[in-house]
Amino acid sequence: MVAANMSGTEKKKLLIIGKSQKPRCFKGVKSLPVDYANNRKAWMTSELFDKWLRDWDRDLVKKKKKILLLVDNCPAHPNVTDLKSITLAFLPPNTTSVLQPMDQGIIRSLKMNFRKNLVLKMINCLDANENHSSTKVTVLDAILMVNDAWNKMSQSTIHNCFKHAGFIESHNGLPIQISEHEFDEEDDIPLSLWSRNLNSDSLAAPEMWEDYVDIDSGLFTFEEPTDENIVQNISAKEQLESDGEEEVEEAPQKRH
């Protein structure tokens, strides 16, 4: 889950959803740089969204701040009531790809930079001639890499995504002209071009790198909030092993 203000000066701590309640790699870790939650499918649910919003609302109350939060019509994003510092504004149905600022390039840039970190880790391991087990990516590794990618997301990239979604500031009554190339260069470098700077063309063809960026674009990340799903989630959580650990994706394999 990602959220930021229109100017890009404030970025909400990421919400990461995993499967295990306490992955083994969390042992000895006192705190995480992200908010972490879990369920059996690592999906966003209405319960998680409700908790995430209410926790954020309490934090804003302490800071004496109020915000308007744009929310898409994902079934896992219900209308949470009784919030004191957050006002929810739901986008019209079927407009997420056009009006949701995060879908105008912020999420894709985040994924791209996360995968850059992931590939770089693999390359460093290979260059060091380390054994195969050292290239394993734990949940903690993934969290640290995606958090690094989020921290490096530039203000200009976030602000321009809001502009592309139609949230345009005006000066002296004149609208700001929107350019097709207003993203920060570091945030918008195609993975295929970035890989050339590492002299890693032999790892994969350029088109494979671009496919790699969007490899999970078709994955389901939420479920309908039905009574059956709620019961299943509660039952699964009670039976979930506290020491389980899942792996994340690996770098693209070399094409022969």
Side-chain angles (χ1 to χ4, degrees), residues 13-14 33-34 110 142-152:
K13 183 187 295 186
L14 293 173
V34 302
L110 177 64
I143 286 175
L144 295 178
M145 285 188 282
V146 74
N147 183 67
D148 176 73
W150 184 233
N151 288 338
K152 291 179 179 177

Side-chain angles (χ1 to χ4, degrees), residues 84-203:
K84 297 180 179 179
S85 289
I86 299 177
T87 300
L88 300 180
F90 286 88
L91 299 175
N94 304 316
T95 61
T96 297
S97 61
V98 178
L99 298 180
Q100 172 59 276
M102 298 298 153
D103 280 350
Q104 302 308 307
I106 295 174
I107 292 176
R108 194 173 194 277
S109 292
L110 177 64
K111 289 183 177 181
M112 184 182 300
N113 286 310
F114 163 70
R115 288 183 168 86
K116 288 177 183 177
N117 287 341
L118 181 59
V119 171
L120 188 59
K121 172 182 171 61
M122 298 299 168
I123 292 175
N124 288 338
C125 290
L126 293 174
D127 287 344
N129 294 319
E130 297 181 11
N131 56 46
H132 177 71
S133 62
S134 65
T135 62
K136 180 180 179 181
V137 179
T138 67
V139 177
L140 181 59
D141 290 331
I143 286 175
L144 295 178
M145 285 188 282
V146 74
N147 183 67
D148 176 73
W150 184 233
N151 288 338
K152 291 179 179 177
M153 180 79 66
S154 69
Q155 294 181 20
S156 61
T157 292
I158 294 174
H159 180 59
N160 286 319
C161 285
F162 272 87
K163 288 169 62 178
H164 278 266
F167 300 89
I168 306 173
E169 294 180 337
S170 61
H171 299 281
N172 299 323
L174 298 176
I176 295 177
Q177 297 298 318
I178 300 177
S179 169
E180 295 182 357
H181 305 287
E182 289 186 314
F183 296 99
D184 187 278
E185 292 183 359
E186 288 297 321
D187 287 339
D188 203 37
I189 297 176
L191 198 56
S192 57
L193 295 180
W194 174 83
S195 67
R196 295 175 188 174
N197 294 329
L198 296 176
N199 295 319
S200 58
D201 281 340
S202 60
L203 292 177

Side-chain angles (χ1 to χ4, degrees), residues 15-38 137-146 241-246 248:
L15 171 63
I16 304 296
I17 305 173
K19 293 182 179 179
S20 301
Q21 183 178 7
K22 295 180 180 179
R24 287 192 298 271
C25 57
F26 284 7
K27 185 177 181 180
V29 178
K30 295 182 178 180
S31 63
L32 294 171
V34 302
D35 292 324
Y36 180 81
N38 74 288
V137 179
T138 67
V139 177
L140 181 59
D141 290 331
I143 286 175
L144 295 178
M145 285 188 282
V146 74
E241 295 183 358
S242 62
D243 61 346
E245 180 174 342
E246 68 268 33
V248 299

